[in-house]
């Protein structure tokens, strides 16, 4: 991948120029889907954009010292991590990529949740600290399953290159991996039933309690970009590259939208679980599938 | 007014986030405020969102006749909401202390402590009236955002520890 394609992917498609409006659109789809399921009309189409601009124009409380600087930095790091993750998705066929970009993608996907943990603790609000502790516990539980699932898909193909993974032949192992990723996505996106870290009303706003104005706008954007990255990752794994150029892009967008609808339905239909139930769910129920997936992947690898 | 300012003005009007503050209400007004956000009245059409933290909010909705205990909490919460902000007094209680008038546990009405922008009278007011009040407060908010923060109208409050 040369510099020009890297920049184009990061800034244009599927990077910022596409991802930011897509993030707003997905946030709107999520809210609208919940509204329609409750037989309401719901927010207008431009609502996430209105919220974003309004927050940008709001004042922030004065923040002093290193703690204040860190509090300003975390949301920016989270946004850049999520934007970088979106930019790495192999949407267009033969658009470049490099050996090992899967590892970079996983690290970037993890960055926003790391930032949320750090943000809650550096805000020194007791609600923020509770939220961060929950986020940390949640992250430890779902990440094992998430990483094992992706590893099993990768090791069955002998590669850590996203491009090769996206165009690999169909196999039951891939679907097992996709199911495991799907189970982890609600926890990664903090939606019901795993909306523990930012449990609205229960612990105020969790790690975000002390954030206001532009910083909060950045958190909202990071959350939207996480939606694009998470839904996009599944979309690229589900659909092998069909056709060229715009067809692949259109398929990617359509599949991501289906993913968002699926996840919002889940969020609307469920209530928040307690932290111990969540941790038990990931460690007891889903871990076994992930271990199965990776062991069968290794088995297939030795056989071939 | 240039384009960016007009855009911000519109966005403020279209996205009022509420913080609900109970200052000793009988719970009647609180139920009506929640009803205004329920599927039947669907205040989200106006972009309304009920926020958990006052830092995120634009509009503080105060219910209840302001008991003596609640005064410092109201002032702290008012200080924690960032500029521009507006205050709605929901129900007759914060406006006049209503049926609790002359009680020795009260320090109301609300206007003695923080500036109020919109009164929604009623005991309790109907959800439609509350939504109308929110829409009006959002317009006030959009205009207020054009001016720098006004030091005189805001009471002196100590910032809560970040
Ligand atoms: S206005 Fe009426 S309903 Fe509302 S808090 Fe006061 S007494 Fe209760």
């Amino acid at each position: 991948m040369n510099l020009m394609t890297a920049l184009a992917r990061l800034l244009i498609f599927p990077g910022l120029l596409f991802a930011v409006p897509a993030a707003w659109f997905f946030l709107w789809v999520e809210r609208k889907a919940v509204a329609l399921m409750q037989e309401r009309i719901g927010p207008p189409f431009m609502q996430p954009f209105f919220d974003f601009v309004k927050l940008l124009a709001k004042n922030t409380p004065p923040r002093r010292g290193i703690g204040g600087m860190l509090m300003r930095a975390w949301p920016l790091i989270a946004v850049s991590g999520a934007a970088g993750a979106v930019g790495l998705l192999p949407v267009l066929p033969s658009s470049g990529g490099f050996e090992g970009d899967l590892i970079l993608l996983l690290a970037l996907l993890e960055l926003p949740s790391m930032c949320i943990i750090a943000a809650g603790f550096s805000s020194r609000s007791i609600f923020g600290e509770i939220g961060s502790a929950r986020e940390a516990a949640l992250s430890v539980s779902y990440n094992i399953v998430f990483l094992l699932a992706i590893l099993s898909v990768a090791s069955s193909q002998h590669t850590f290159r996203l491009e090769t993974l996206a165009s690999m032949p169909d196999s039951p192992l891939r679907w097992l991996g996709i199911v495991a990723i799907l189970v982890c996505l609600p926890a990664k996106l903090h939606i019901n039933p795993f909306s523990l870290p930012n449990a609205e009303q229960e612990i105020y706003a969790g790690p975000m309690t002390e954030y206001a104005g532009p910083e909060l706008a950045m958190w909202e954007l990071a959350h939207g970009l996480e939606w694009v990255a998470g839904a996009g990752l599944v979309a690229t794994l589900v659909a092998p590259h069909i056709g060229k150029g715009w067809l692949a892009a259109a398929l990617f967008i359509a599949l991501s939208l289906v993913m968002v609808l699926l996840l919002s339905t889940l969020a609307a239909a469920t209530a928040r679980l307690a932290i111990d139930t969540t941790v038990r769910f990931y460690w007891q129920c889903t871990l076994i599938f992930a271990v199965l997936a990776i062991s069968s992947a290794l088995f297939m690898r030795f056989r071939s | 007014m240039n384009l960016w300012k007009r855009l911000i003005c519109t966005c403020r009007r279209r996205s009022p986030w509420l913080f609900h503050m109970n200052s000793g209400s009988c719970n009647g007004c609180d139920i009506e405020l929640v009803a205004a956000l329920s599927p039947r009245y669907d205040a989200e059409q106006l972009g309304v969102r009920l926020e958990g933290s006052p830092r995120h909010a634009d509009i503080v909705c105060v219910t209840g006749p302001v008991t003596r205990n609640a005064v410092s909490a109201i002032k702290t919460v008012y200080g924690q909401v960032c500029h521009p902000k507006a205050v709605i007094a929901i129900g007759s209680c914060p406006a006049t202390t209503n049926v609790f008038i002359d009680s020795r546990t009260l320090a109301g009405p609300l206007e003695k402590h923080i500036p109020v922008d919109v009164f929604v009278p009623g005991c309790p007011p109907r959800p439609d009236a509350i939504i109308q009040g929110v829409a009006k407060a959002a317009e006030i908010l959009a205009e207020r955002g054009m001016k720098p923060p006004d030091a005189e109208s805001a009471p002196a409050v100590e910032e809560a520890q970040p």
Side-chain angles (χ1 to χ4, degrees):
Chain A
M1 183 154 64
N2 60 22
L3 190 67
M4 280 313 283
T5 39
L7 273 182
R9 279 178 67 176
L10 187 64
L11 296 178
I12 301 170
F13 189 85
L16 286 175
L17 195 68
F18 161 75
V20 173
W24 288 329
F25 178 62
F26 285 172
L27 287 178
W28 174 77
V29 169
E30 182 203 359
R31 283 171 74 173
K32 185 81 176 176
V34 173
L36 289 181
M37 269 176 266
Q38 294 175 342
E39 295 192 346
R40 299 189 275 131
I41 294 176
F45 180 67
M46 299 281 278
Q47 192 59 49
F49 172 74
F50 290 147
D51 291 347
F52 184 78
V53 175
K54 179 206 74 176
L55 285 173
L56 274 190
K58 233 173 132 62
N59 286 9
T60 38
R63 304 203 193 287
R64 276 169 244 103
I66 296 281
M69 265 160 60
L70 283 177
M71 275 185 80
R72 287 184 196 283
W74 295 126
L76 294 177
I77 300 175
V79 167
S80 29
V86 177
L88 273 178
L89 291 177
V91 179
L92 301 175
S94 61
S95 59
F98 49 90
E99 189 57 51
D101 53 2
L102 177 67
I103 297 174
L104 182 61
L105 178 81
L106 292 179
L108 288 175
L109 268 182
E110 204 39 41
L111 206 56
S113 97
M114 292 289 170
C115 286
I116 289 177
I117 298 173
F121 282 117
S122 58
S123 74
R124 288 169 60 210
S125 139
I126 179 154
F127 305 108
E129 282 167 15
I130 296 176
S132 287
R134 284 181 177 191
E135 166 77 31
L138 191 63
S139 159
V140 169
S141 359
Y142 72 73
N143 260 328
I144 305 247
V145 183
F146 188 68
L147 293 181
L148 281 180
I150 294 196
L151 268 184
S152 66
V153 178
S155 69
S156 71
Q157 290 300 308
H158 303 233
T159 181
F160 275 119
R161 197 184 169 120
L162 279 165
E163 179 113 43
T164 329
L165 280 185
S167 52
M168 73 191 204
D170 219 0
S171 73
L173 198 63
R174 171 160 87 174
W175 291 101
L176 201 62
I178 289 171
V179 169
I181 295 172
L182 271 181
V183 170
C184 297
L185 264 187
K188 220 170 176 49
L189 298 170
H190 311 135
I191 56 174
N192 272 346
F194 306 118
S195 60
L196 298 147
N198 50 352
E200 323 86 51
Q201 311 295 337
E202 184 187 330
I203 46 171
Y204 293 90
M208 313 286 114
T209 303
E210 280 297 326
Y211 283 87
E215 298 156 358
L216 190 63
M218 287 300 142
W219 282 123
E220 293 269 318
L221 185 62
H223 183 57
L225 288 174
E226 271 187 300
W227 269 98
V228 181
L233 177 64
V234 179
T236 48
L237 286 179
V238 167
H241 283 145
I242 299 173
K244 292 237 176 296
W246 63 269
L247 190 62
L251 196 68
F252 166 78
I253 295 170
L255 273 173
S256 307
L257 191 61
V258 171
M259 285 298 313
V260 173
L261 282 175
L262 209 76
L263 289 173
S264 340
T265 314
L266 176 78
T270 51
R272 188 180 306 140
L273 292 175
I275 183 79
D276 51 340
T277 324
T278 309
V279 171
R280 214 174 307 132
F281 170 74
Y282 278 116
W283 280 101
Q284 290 183 350
C285 307
T286 57
L287 188 63
I288 192 152
F289 288 108
V291 171
L292 258 182
I294 191 133
S295 44
S296 50
L298 290 176
F299 178 68
M300 276 166 73
R301 188 173 171 169
F302 284 125
R303 232 183 38 176
S304 65
Chain B
M1 209 156 43
N2 60 29
L3 202 64
W4 173 242
K5 275 193 172 162
R6 268 227 301 278
L7 176 70
I8 290 175
C9 202
T10 314
C11 291
R12 280 198 179 114
R13 195 161 43 76
R14 301 289 297 267
S15 140
W17 289 6
L18 309 183
F19 180 76
H20 174 203
M21 167 105 214
N22 180 335
S23 70
S25 113
C26 77
N27 220 9
C29 288
D30 306 286
I31 292 172
E32 297 303 312
L33 177 62
V34 175
L37 300 161
S38 68
R40 187 176 171 86
Y41 292 94
D42 191 20
E44 203 183 4
Q45 283 175 52
L46 302 179
V48 172
R49 233 166 86 168
L50 192 65
E51 282 297 318
S53 161
R55 289 275 191 230
H56 303 183
D58 307 294
I59 298 177
V60 189
C61 298
V62 185
T63 57
V66 189
T67 57
R68 273 202 253 157
N69 270 345
V71 172
S72 67
I74 286 181
K75 286 188 177 168
T76 313
V77 165
Y78 185 78
Q80 280 173 337
V81 179
C82 297
H83 175 83
K85 56 187 159 191
V87 177
I88 309 180
I90 292 179
S92 303
C93 273
T96 63
T97 65
N98 203 10
V99 287
F100 305 106
I101 198 162
D102 287 341
S103 163
R104 63 202 158 83
T105 57
L106 287 193
L110 182 64
E111 262 212 307
K112 279 210 297 213
H113 306 290
I114 55 174
V116 180
D117 298 291
V118 179
F119 288 97
V120 184
C123 180
R126 288 189 58 80
D128 346 34
I130 295 178
I131 293 175
Q132 196 184 6
V134 170
K136 204 160 245 168
E139 266 161 36
I140 294 174
L141 189 79
E143 274 167 35
R144 181 168 299 155
M146 294 296 116
K147 297 182 217 126
D150 182 4
E152 271 168 37
S153 70
V157 276
E158 45 319 339
E159 267 288 316
Q161 265 301 307

